[in-house]
Amino acid sequence: MPSHLPLISLVITTYNRVALLREALASVAASKLEHTAADVEVLVIDNNSSDGTSAAVEAVRRAGYRFPLKYARETRQGTSYARNRGIAMARGYYIAFMDDDQHIDAAYLENVARAFAETGAACVGGPVRYYNYNARDIPHWLAPIIKYIGQLDCGDAPLMIGEGTRRLSGGNMVFTREALAANGGFDTRLGHHGERLGGNEDWEIQDRLIAAGRIVAYHPGLVQYHYLRPERFDKRYWRRLYFSYGRSLYLRGDFSGAHRLFGVPRFLWRALLARDCAAWIRAWPTLDYPKIFLRQLAIWQRLGKIAAARAERREPLRPAQAGRATRADGN
């Protein structure tokens, strides 16, 4: 790799969370590095924010940021569009991602090259923990959910990601440039789109790499910290999120040969009634309210799949739009 190029390009996508973005940038600036500052570049991709994000990033840069700091506005709404814009701008050998509501551990950047060397992977990620989590303040129905959503802990040893294992968290993934160039970026049908919740773009890209015979790995040295946002204490948020997950899962599938009822594959109706609703009803006599709510969320996820199928009937879905990662200049 030519010496004038950075080792790591860190892409931070953001949408209307300028206060959290400042904290994210501060956590990056506090990194412990044996390398020089020129080995890291930080790219902030603004996905149509209206809260002064551009001015805030410029103020951080003028104040003397530790690493080269670049800003770009991606006008196509969606997390995947923003991440793909970051891929196109990045010049580093490794391309890392974090969300605007996350912090990185002080040793994160220092551990990137070691994580790839120890795993031989094309993509690595690590633990994600809520930094403002207080078990005493967590409603009993929320505890089993946030154990698996917004957090990730696969132990203290490297682990290959594959069949039967959890996938890496989308806010904590690092790729080799070559892997992204060979396999394409994020599927733009998936992920958050402005205020509309979404997901699965992180799992889809990992599954694509694994299907191509590439290694995806978990490494305990790549730690990020996640902000537990107030809206996650509202059950309505989780219903919306699971509905959007269902929609994303349907978009990833191929149901062209399925027999349909009212435009929806029949097996989805059967699964909704015979599996999800039945499990929810059976859970009520237990008076286990966290379990009852989880069963309810399974219904909302199935309804998301059904809604996506209905939308497909009205307007056929386009194929995946991941495309190829390309080089481009930006500032």
Side-chain angles (χ1 to χ4, degrees):
M1 183 185 65
S3 59
H4 64 280
L5 293 180
L7 178 68
I8 302 168
S9 295
L10 177 59
V11 177
I12 306 175
T13 56
T14 187
Y15 175 70
N16 280 344
R17 292 201 286 225
V18 67
L20 291 173
L21 175 63
R22 289 192 189 99
E23 294 182 11
L25 289 170
S27 78
V28 176
S31 297
K32 298 175 182 177
L33 273 180
E34 293 181 4
H35 307 296
T36 67
D39 287 328
V40 177
E41 65 174 1
V42 179
L43 312 176
V44 175
I45 311 300
D46 179 355
N47 199 198
N48 290 321
S49 298
S50 57
D51 62 352
T53 291
S54 174
V57 174
E58 181 59 27
V60 170
R61 179 164 48 191
R62 275 204 232 107
Y65 196 65
R66 180 179 178 187
F67 303 111
L69 179 60
K70 299 181 179 180
Y71 168 91
R73 187 175 181 89
E74 174 53 63
T75 57
R76 292 170 296 179
Q77 199 69 56
T79 302
S80 292
Y81 281 118
R83 286 177 174 166
N84 288 345
R85 178 68 178 275
I87 294 170
M89 287 177 58
R91 300 180 304 129
Y93 184 78
Y94 301 115
I95 302 177
F97 294 89
M98 66 182 287
D99 293 336
D100 56 6
D101 62 349
Q102 291 181 279
H103 300 169
I104 62 170
D105 186 78
Y108 188 96
L109 296 176
E110 189 65 50
N111 287 335
V112 166
R114 179 167 68 89
F116 279 96
E118 291 180 1
T119 61
C123 170
V124 294
V128 179
R129 300 165 185 148
Y130 285 118
Y131 64 79
N132 60 329
Y133 176 92
N134 186 335
R136 293 174 301 179
D137 299 331
I138 301 299
H140 66 290
W141 59 267
L142 182 55
I145 300 174
I146 61 172
K147 183 178 180 180
Y148 297 104
I149 298 181
Q151 297 192 106
L152 177 71
D153 191 342
C154 295
D156 298 327
L159 173 71
M160 300 300 111
I161 300 297
E163 197 68 36
T165 64
R166 294 181 67 185
R167 294 296 187 263
L168 301 175
S169 169
N172 185 2
M173 296 194 297
V174 191
F175 300 82
T176 62
R177 167 182 292 282
E178 177 275 328
L180 288 172
N183 291 277
F186 291 87
D187 187 333
T188 55
R189 300 172 304 164
L190 309 177
H192 291 337
H193 285 73
E195 298 297 339
R196 193 189 80 193
L197 299 177
N200 241 272
E201 79 287 353
D202 48 354
W203 285 38
E204 190 277 336
I205 196 170
Q206 292 173 67
D207 288 345
R208 200 170 352 124
L209 285 169
I210 293 169
R214 309 302 297 269
I215 296 174
V216 177
Y218 165 94
H219 193 282
L222 299 179
V223 181
Q224 289 189 6
Y225 303 96
H226 197 183
Y227 175 59
L228 182 54
R229 301 193 301 276
E231 59 262 37
R232 296 199 171 197
F233 289 79
D234 187 334
K235 288 184 178 181
R236 289 172 296 182
Y237 169 87
W238 294 100
R239 295 183 188 108
R240 289 175 55 223
L241 183 64
Y242 271 74
F243 184 89
S244 72
Y245 276 171
R247 181 183 178 278
S248 298
L249 287 170
Y250 184 87
L251 292 176
R252 289 188 58 188
D254 181 5
F255 306 102
S256 54
H259 296 288
R260 294 179 180 256
L261 179 64
F262 304 119
V264 176
R266 290 181 181 177
F267 74 88
L268 288 178
W269 293 117
R270 289 195 299 269
L272 174 67
L273 299 173
R275 185 186 307 169
D276 303 325
C277 290
W280 178 63
I281 293 169
R282 287 195 301 269
W284 274 99
T286 69
L287 298 181
D288 183 341
Y289 293 108
K291 180 179 180 180
I292 292 169
F293 187 56
L294 285 171
R295 295 291 183 265
Q296 182 188 130
L297 292 179
I299 294 173
W300 280 94
Q301 182 167 290
R302 192 77 62 185
L303 289 172
K305 293 180 180 181
I306 290 171
R310 297 276 293 170
E312 179 184 40
R313 183 189 184 193
R314 293 191 298 270
E315 181 180 348
L317 299 172
R318 291 172 290 173
Q321 303 168 45
R324 299 285 177 179
T326 57
R327 275 291 283 280
D329 293 325
N331 51 37

